Amino acid sequence: MKNYCRFIYLIIFIVGLCERPLAQRASSRFSDQQIIAMTGSYLKKMPGSPEFVGAKVYRHPEKGKIYQIHLQVDRNRETEGLGYGFDTMLSLSEYFKKPPKVFIAVLHSNNRSAPPVICSGNAKCTADHFIRKTITYKEWYTNCIQFEKSTTVAGP
């Protein structure tokens, strides 16, 4: 019986050692440029995702750090493209050394005459809905994000 208990403790110890590197990898932090480079690859792994056009990270004097993603979407699937954009930014934001405060999704339509749709949202509020589930989709959609149609927009 004594050997059996030692064996169990040894297994628990080994499993604990094996999990430590996984936990350390999950807490890895990357530079803004590294996150931008990872964005396209992350989107490609999502089935049915829109075409990645580009991304950028910059600082606004009043809003703070902004993570912006540009997607080419079918005009009939703009809402779906918006979901992919915010999901991508939210998922990758945990890997920033200093996380962004604002997400901006720029949806470029496949209709050449349609201007891009720009949607910005607070990163914390977005996480409140998608991760913490403390607010509903309707509350997120009405209170956390703002839409803007523009004839011109700065590219990625």
Side-chain angles (χ1 to χ4, degrees):
M1 183 69 177
K2 205 174 199 182
N3 286 339
Y4 181 74
C5 289
R6 286 184 187 167
F7 180 72
I8 296 296
Y9 287 127
L10 180 63
I11 289 176
I12 292 171
F13 179 74
I14 291 171
V15 169
L17 287 176
C18 292
E19 287 181 352
R20 179 175 274 161
L22 294 175
Q24 288 173 344
R25 270 188 254 140
S27 65
S28 295
R29 300 291 183 226
F30 299 96
S31 71
D32 295 352
Q33 293 304 316
Q34 288 173 314
I35 299 288
I36 290 168
M38 289 189 281
T39 304
S41 299
Y42 183 87
L43 262 167
K44 285 181 185 175
K45 292 179 184 177
M46 299 171 78
S49 66
E51 181 184 339
F52 176 69
V53 177
K56 65 181 178 178
V57 176
Y58 58 96
R59 283 157 186 73
H60 186 275
E62 294 156 10
K63 296 178 184 178
K65 189 174 192 174
I66 297 176
Y67 185 15
Q68 183 173 319
I69 188 170
H70 292 256
L71 302 172
Q72 182 74 40
V73 297
D74 183 301
R75 68 184 177 129
N76 297 324
R77 297 177 63 194
E78 282 182 349
T79 304
E80 190 177 316
L82 179 68
Y84 277 107
F86 272 83
D87 181 38
T88 300
M89 290 184 286
L90 187 59
S91 296
L92 291 175
S93 68
E94 69 180 275
Y95 297 106
F96 278 95
K97 289 178 183 174
K98 183 177 179 193
K101 295 188 182 223
V102 177
F103 297 142
I104 298 177
V106 181
L107 308 175
H108 301 272
S109 175
N110 59 356
N111 179 355
R112 293 185 187 196
S113 63
V117 174
I118 304 167
C119 180
S120 64
N122 179 290
K124 182 189 176 303
C125 192
T126 299
D128 285 345
H129 169 64
F130 288 101
I131 296 174
R132 292 184 276 281
K133 309 281 187 210
T134 57
I135 62 172
T136 66
Y137 177 82
K138 185 176 181 181
E139 289 172 317
W140 173 75
Y141 195 85
T142 55
N143 300 329
C144 297
I145 59 174
Q146 298 83 40
F147 285 93
E148 171 187 334
K149 284 207 180 227
S150 175
T151 54
T152 60
V153 66

